Amino acid sequence: MKEAVRIGSNPAAGPDLEELVGRVALGTRTPSRVSTTPWRARCWGCRAVLRDQAQSEEVTQEVLVEVWRTAPRYRRDRGTAVNWILTLAHRRAVDRVRSADAAAARDHKAALLDRLPEYDEVAERVEASLEREQVRRCLRTLTELQRQSVTLAYYRGLTYREVAEALALPLGTVKTRLRDGLIRLRDCLGVTA
């Protein structure tokens, strides 16, 4: 089994990282020495999570401050100082990504709300459906010739002359039937002139 390589374990390089974290925890050492240790470069490994150098630098700086603030919580029996610091960095990077994703989702939702129509689309559809049903009901009250004339003229878009030709009736008769049918529809629908 390989022995864990300790960062800064070279006696000429000074105390190892675990000792430095212990000194920071006791308040006998400032974090400046911790900030120059090789873990800082490994912390930049959070770039794989963040995919942005500036964000990685910010997270690394935040982790350094967090190490300084929370050094008394570090416990050697749970792992090395490097692993503790890298865990802090990874968690901070993941939190940053989640925060950015949540902000993007909020912005997207806000943009969708800005694009909503100024009217209630559902109410419009229901009202149009009710109006169509009322027109159908009123069309059933017309005579067969009135209904055929109105349907050809207003639903198929035929001219009065084309309606007369389609029904094989004189033009005057078609005009009278259309006028009478429209009057009955107006009265049935409750439209005031």
Side-chain angles (χ1 to χ4, degrees), residues 10-140:
N10 180 350
D16 69 4
L17 186 58
E18 310 229 358
E19 188 177 329
L20 286 172
V21 172
R23 287 182 184 178
V24 170
L26 294 173
T28 60
R29 187 77 162 166
T30 62
S32 61
R33 175 73 174 98
V34 176
S35 67
T36 60
T37 58
W39 77 266
R40 185 178 177 99
R42 289 179 64 194
C43 239
W44 279 47
C46 62
R47 278 186 293 188
V49 175
L50 294 168
R51 297 185 180 180
D52 180 60
Q53 182 174 348
Q55 293 280 344
S56 297
E57 290 171 5
E58 286 181 27
V59 166
T60 301
Q61 186 64 31
E62 290 172 7
V63 169
L64 174 63
V65 171
E66 189 173 352
V67 166
W68 183 47
R69 281 187 319 101
T70 63
R73 289 190 219 154
Y74 167 66
R75 293 181 43 193
R76 281 186 178 198
D77 60 326
R78 292 187 143 181
T80 65
V82 171
N83 287 341
W84 176 64
I85 292 170
L86 293 179
T87 299
L88 292 175
H90 179 76
R91 288 179 182 163
R92 183 66 61 121
V94 169
D95 288 346
R96 178 77 59 109
V97 169
R98 287 179 180 159
S99 176
D101 289 348
R106 280 191 305 273
D107 290 345
H108 179 71
K109 188 175 180 180
L112 289 177
L113 290 175
D114 287 343
R115 292 187 344 190
L116 288 178
E118 295 180 14
Y119 61 91
D120 186 356
E121 191 174 322
V122 174
E124 287 274 330
R125 287 182 183 170
V126 168
E127 189 175 319
S129 177
L130 291 173
E131 287 174 355
R132 281 192 302 273
E133 185 54 40
Q134 187 177 10
V135 169
R136 285 186 194 110
R137 186 175 36 81
C138 290
L139 277 172
R140 288 192 292 264

Side-chain angles (χ1 to χ4, degrees), residues 139-157:
L139 277 172
R140 288 192 292 264
T141 66
L142 302 178
T143 66
E144 186 61 32
L145 283 175
Q146 289 172 336
R147 185 175 32 256
Q148 286 176 345
S149 299
V150 169
T151 302
L152 290 172
Y154 291 98
Y155 287 104
R156 297 238 178 117

